[in-house]
Amino acid sequence: MSKIFQRKALLLAAIVPAILVAGCATGNQQAMKGSASQASPTGEGTVEPGQTDMSPGMTETGTASPTATGVEGARTAVEGYFKALKAGNVDKVVDSFSDNAVVELGGEATAKGTQAIRTLYQGQLQGNNEMKQVTYTIEDTRAAGTEDAIVRATSKMGEESYRELFVLMKDGGQWKISELMNNQGS
């Protein structure tokens, strides 16, 4: 087993159950407090006068800048992923992921690695105008050591609501998504 795989397995085994249990608590937002950042709607596609459409630490291409550090950088990377989805830019979506990432979208076959992720998103984005209307909220961002982070988000596309769980790792000094799981919200 590779070191990266072992690290991911331990990270997921330790953190994911706690996040899922806390996220499933009905109406209990206190379960999600602690070192988590506040939830804020970021995907509405509106920009206030005098503001830019970029988050701190974000480059003009929508990727996290090398100077974005800590969990804020992980959050920025996820925001870049959602912006690339809304723009329908497959290259930027794929660039959000590490080379050996795993994507598990509800109802789709698991995509492992860059080429499989590219194929998945080409199918998802091709002719899908609803994707441009997607809204999202980053619900929780947590550090999992110095090189890993967990980001939990919700999104809405048309009448469908989704829950996303991102596992991120630093890759060449930048935050990259190493695992993405989503399913339909209730």
Side-chain angles (χ1 to χ4, degrees):
M1 228 192 280
S2 74
K3 275 188 158 182
I4 291 175
F5 181 78
Q6 287 175 336
R7 191 168 121 202
K8 283 184 184 180
L10 288 172
L11 176 68
L12 288 173
I15 294 178
V16 170
I19 291 174
L20 290 174
V21 168
C24 291
T26 56
N28 185 359
Q29 288 295 345
Q30 289 298 75
M32 297 309 295
K33 298 293 182 195
S35 66
S37 61
Q38 283 185 296
S40 64
T42 57
E44 300 298 327
T46 58
V47 180
E48 297 297 321
Q51 293 182 336
T52 65
D53 195 24
M54 292 191 316
S55 300
M58 186 72 91
T59 67
E60 287 183 27
T61 61
T63 59
S65 72
T67 58
T69 59
V71 270
E72 187 175 302
R75 178 188 183 104
T76 300
V78 172
E79 289 172 349
Y81 161 81
F82 277 116
K83 288 178 183 182
L85 274 182
K86 288 180 74 150
N89 189 323
V90 174
D91 291 333
K92 285 184 184 177
V93 169
V94 173
D95 191 47
S96 301
F97 292 93
S98 64
D99 292 340
N100 59 349
V102 176
V103 177
E104 299 170 311
L105 301 180
E108 298 290 335
T110 300
K112 297 179 183 179
T114 302
Q115 188 55 46
I117 292 169
R118 178 175 300 284
T119 301
L120 172 68
Y121 281 101
Q122 282 173 334
Q124 292 282 316
L125 296 173
Q126 191 171 37
N128 189 347
N129 290 328
E130 283 187 355
M131 195 66 75
K132 293 181 181 188
Q133 305 302 318
V134 69
T135 58
Y136 65 91
T137 303
I138 304 292
E139 299 287 340
D140 187 33
T141 303
R142 295 176 185 230
T146 58
E147 300 289 315
D148 300 293
I150 305 290
V151 176
R152 193 173 52 82
T154 56
S155 62
K156 187 167 180 151
M157 183 173 63
E159 295 298 315
E160 304 293 329
S161 296
Y162 298 91
R163 299 175 289 201
E164 289 92 9
L165 183 66
F166 298 86
V167 177
L168 294 97
M169 60 186 260
K170 283 196 179 172
D171 183 7
Q174 288 190 317
W175 285 101
K176 296 284 187 170
I177 301 166
S178 60
E179 300 234 4
L180 167 59
M181 296 171 55
N182 92 341
N183 65 4
Q184 271 190 300
S186 53

